[in-house]
Amino acid sequence: MTWSIASQKSNPTVERLRDEIAHFESNYRDGWDGPGTHGPTKEAVGAIRLALDAIPSGIVLPKTMLSPSGDIGLYWDFANEGYADLNADAQGCLSFFSRDCKGGEQFETVPSILLGAQWYWARVGRLSNQGNRAA
Amino acid sequence: MLDPAFFDAATGEPKPTLFEDTSSRGASTNRRQYVSDQQLHARGIERAAQATAQSTRPKTYIGFVSVGARDVRSITTELNGAPCRAFGVYDTAQESDPSHADICQLIRGRAAARSVRSQLYQLAKGTLCRPDHTQ
């Protein structure tokens, strides 16, 4: 298998995702979903931005999500073929969860230095037939 | 759903983080056999107005999603090699709201929490009911 290493930084849909993350950073403060909830820290935002920029061409782009805890994440929903999410906590630590079509699950913490084409193809790319699907 | 952070406008689906409250303060819900859809929508619209008045962030009532209590209780995750029930659904009826219930996560651990959140998200997909009945 040949992994594409071309960055998606110039892809307009990636720009939309970057805008969503920026929107979370700018507009969601502590208490945004009631007492005890938190906005994303700059560490969390920085980590998820790195994760987004590291997605290689050919991998379906994810959607963004924000937790009441302030964790910020990316997720892929391949319907019956699987699900995955990548989460950045308040300290900027990344963790990955996936569930494949057979119910097999994987969870790991992810040092940001590992993010790249090989990492994404091994974890997200394997979940579905990576045809021409849009996010 | 009151905040667009929990809603994927492109697909009309909730985002996985909508269900995060199950792991902390309990996810407030209503039992549909004790409340009509119209009443649910009316309460949601009222809550959005109250939340907007109390916050700097405007809230918009989008609609509600439905899951069956039996289906929620049947969600499991593996702990110590054995399937473990993930959620409790509790009757927390109030005088002002006899339909009230709470979904609470019963298991701990990051991997397990991500697993059961994804399963609850899958249950809720396709069930959004908007006040104007559009998708």
Side-chain angles (χ1 to χ4, degrees):
Chain A
M1 176 184 290
T2 300
W3 291 291
S4 169
I5 59 171
S7 169
Q8 300 196 88
K9 289 187 177 183
S10 59
N11 186 305
T13 307
V14 173
E15 286 304 317
R16 176 176 60 80
L17 295 176
R18 290 200 189 103
D19 289 344
E20 290 175 7
I21 293 168
H23 176 73
F24 288 149
E25 181 183 28
S26 299
N27 296 285
Y28 285 77
R29 308 291 185 194
D30 289 355
W32 69 271
D33 196 38
T37 63
H38 299 280
T41 63
K42 66 178 190 306
E43 290 81 4
V45 171
I48 214 66
R49 278 185 175 138
L50 276 176
L52 178 60
D53 286 346
I55 297 174
S57 295
I59 290 286
V60 170
L61 288 175
K63 300 178 187 288
T64 61
M65 60 180 176
L66 179 67
S67 295
S69 64
D71 288 10
I72 190 167
L74 307 172
Y75 71 101
W76 293 261
D77 185 352
F78 298 116
N80 294 331
E81 295 183 26
Y83 167 93
D85 63 46
L86 184 61
N87 186 82
D89 67 14
Q91 290 73 43
C93 297
L94 291 166
S95 59
F96 175 79
F97 167 81
S98 69
R99 186 180 180 89
D100 64 28
C101 59
K102 298 177 183 175
E105 296 184 347
Q106 178 182 359
F107 178 83
E108 60 183 299
T109 54
V110 187
S112 58
I113 195 169
L114 292 184
L115 290 172
Q118 186 171 352
W119 189 90
Y120 274 108
W121 279 108
R123 285 154 182 81
V124 180
R126 73 177 184 89
L127 289 176
S128 76
N129 180 356
Q130 292 279 304
N132 293 321
R133 295 187 200 203
Chain B
M1 283 183 278
L2 300 183
D3 198 295
F6 296 130
F7 178 64
D8 181 0
T11 62
E13 299 287 10
K15 297 200 173 196
T17 46
L18 175 66
F19 309 100
E20 201 89 343
D21 278 356
T22 60
S23 65
S24 55
R25 50 192 174 178
S28 283
T29 186
N30 298 90
R31 292 171 293 173
R32 293 182 77 178
Q33 62 264 48
Y34 298 110
V35 64
S36 69
D37 290 3
Q38 290 78 7
Q39 286 173 312
L40 284 174
H41 290 316
R43 286 181 194 172
I45 292 167
E46 184 183 345
R47 281 186 58 206
Q50 289 173 350
T52 298
Q54 294 166 3
S55 166
T56 56
R57 284 193 48 75
K59 301 286 187 182
T60 303
Y61 174 67
I62 298 168
F64 63 81
V65 295
S66 300
V67 291
R70 187 174 301 175
D71 293 331
V72 174
R73 291 184 175 119
S74 70
I75 291 174
T76 63
T77 190
E78 192 169 297
L79 285 177
N80 300 320
C84 183
R85 188 173 137 193
F87 295 107
V89 182
Y90 301 101
D91 177 352
T92 48
Q94 305 158 357
E95 193 169 345
S96 59
D97 185 3
S99 72
H100 196 268
D102 278 282
I103 300 174
C104 298
Q105 188 176 300
L106 303 176
I107 48 85
R108 290 184 179 274
R110 289 193 299 162
R114 298 276 274 283
S115 168
V116 302
R117 184 182 74 176
S118 75
Q119 293 181 65
L120 188 53
Y121 157 71
Q122 296 293 341
L123 264 188
K125 280 170 56 182
T127 70
L128 176 66
C129 180
R130 291 179 175 265
D132 58 2
H133 301 289
T134 60
Q135 286 299 108

